[in-house]
Amino acid sequence: MDSKNLNVVRHPLIQNKLTYLREKQTDNQDFRLILEELTTLMVYEITRNYPLKEKAIETPLEKTTSKTLATKIALVPILRAGVGMLEGVLNLLPKARVGHIGLYRNEETLKPVEYYKKLPQPLEEFQIIVVDPMLATGGTARAGVELVKEEGGQNVQFLCLVAAPEGIENFSEKHPNVPIYTAAVDERLDEKGYIHPGLGDAGDRLFGT
Ligand code: URA
């Protein structure tokens, strides 16, 4: 898969956790926990180049300057499965503001339908991380990032855990400058829009539906 905006994070701890996530015997409780841990590890990678600024501080010994993150961060989970990644991001970025985008996939057309949107403002001031565990057809991610851009979002990253080649292509065609971060690029999509080998329906496995 050759897409300039694609970043596959191959860290051994990430690959190890992804295997547990994929296994069908992993129950809802473990699935939620592992998905959160995996997201936290991914966040470590995707923040690698975030800008820093100097802050004047005082240690117990003397005055000095030290570095802090220079940008405000907004996290935007795409409902519903994206919510499963929320805590995983907040573990490392506890001051991030959280917006929500509600998009569901019409089971027949496989097209995204918007039903909810609430985003922090002014969005242009934030580094934005849009999260959804599965980049399948790419329709939902594509529409979600489009909504963020319409509201003024400029610096956007898309974070998922498993991506299909078809989804990467569809997303990148519309948002070539938005980097995609994933732990895996799987083989294919089936006619129902599921990723193979994948991990099944992430929302159902998270929430036990
Ligand atoms: N959404 C999921 O949860 N799983 C897939 O395989 C595809 C889309």
Side-chain angles (χ1 to χ4, degrees):
M1 188 79 229
D2 184 25
S3 186
K4 281 197 193 71
N5 58 333
L6 178 66
N7 302 278
V8 184
V9 184
R10 301 181 202 279
H11 192 291
L13 294 183
I14 288 176
Q15 297 305 316
N16 184 61
K17 285 198 190 294
L18 181 60
T19 299
Y20 288 115
L21 209 60
R22 288 186 190 278
E23 282 180 314
K24 68 176 183 188
Q25 65 268 31
T26 301
D27 65 17
N28 304 132
Q29 188 182 4
D30 285 343
F31 190 88
R32 266 199 299 276
L33 182 67
I34 297 164
L35 190 127
E36 179 184 326
E37 290 173 345
L38 190 49
T39 303
T40 303
L41 293 172
M42 292 290 287
V43 168
Y44 189 74
E45 287 289 332
I46 74 167
T47 52
R48 190 173 280 282
N49 295 318
Y50 277 18
L52 294 167
K53 64 179 180 196
E54 292 291 335
K55 182 185 180 192
I57 59 160
E58 228 175 311
T59 75
L61 301 179
E62 60 182 308
K63 288 186 177 169
T64 184
T65 58
S66 194
K67 295 183 194 324
T68 58
L69 286 176
T71 41
K72 296 195 284 187
I73 293 152
L75 166 63
V76 182
I78 297 180
L79 302 174
R80 121 188 112 124
V83 172
M85 298 171 76
L86 188 57
E87 287 303 317
V89 179
L90 291 174
N91 285 338
L92 291 187
L93 299 170
K95 293 194 191 309
R97 303 266 282 275
V98 181
H100 290 90
I101 286 178
L103 286 166
Y104 69 88
R105 202 165 50 148
N106 181 304
E107 294 289 335
E108 277 157 31
T109 63
L110 301 184
K111 295 251 183 296
V113 182
E114 178 192 334
Y115 65 92
Y116 188 78
K117 182 177 65 175
K118 191 100 183 167
L119 298 167
Q121 297 293 343
L123 209 49
E124 52 268 34
E125 290 180 5
F126 290 85
Q127 170 65 51
I128 300 150
I129 311 172
V130 177
V131 298
D132 193 350
M134 311 300 278
L135 180 58
T137 63
T140 307
R142 184 174 159 138
V145 170
E146 189 60 15
L147 288 177
V148 165
K149 286 183 173 173
E150 280 166 14
E151 293 269 317
Q154 290 168 3
N155 299 311
V156 189
Q157 295 169 297
F158 180 75
L159 172 59
C160 61
L161 301 176
V162 179
E166 296 90 332
I168 294 165
E169 197 179 326
N170 184 16
F171 181 90
S172 306
E173 177 197 77
K174 179 77 179 170
H175 306 293
N177 299 325
V178 175
I180 300 167
Y181 296 86
T182 184
V185 178
D186 276 9
E187 284 160 27
R188 63 180 179 90
L189 279 185
D190 67 18
E191 61 290 345
K192 290 189 172 150
Y194 281 98
I195 300 176
H196 287 247
L199 48 74
D201 188 304
D204 284 352
R205 293 194 67 189
L206 273 165
F207 303 117
T209 44

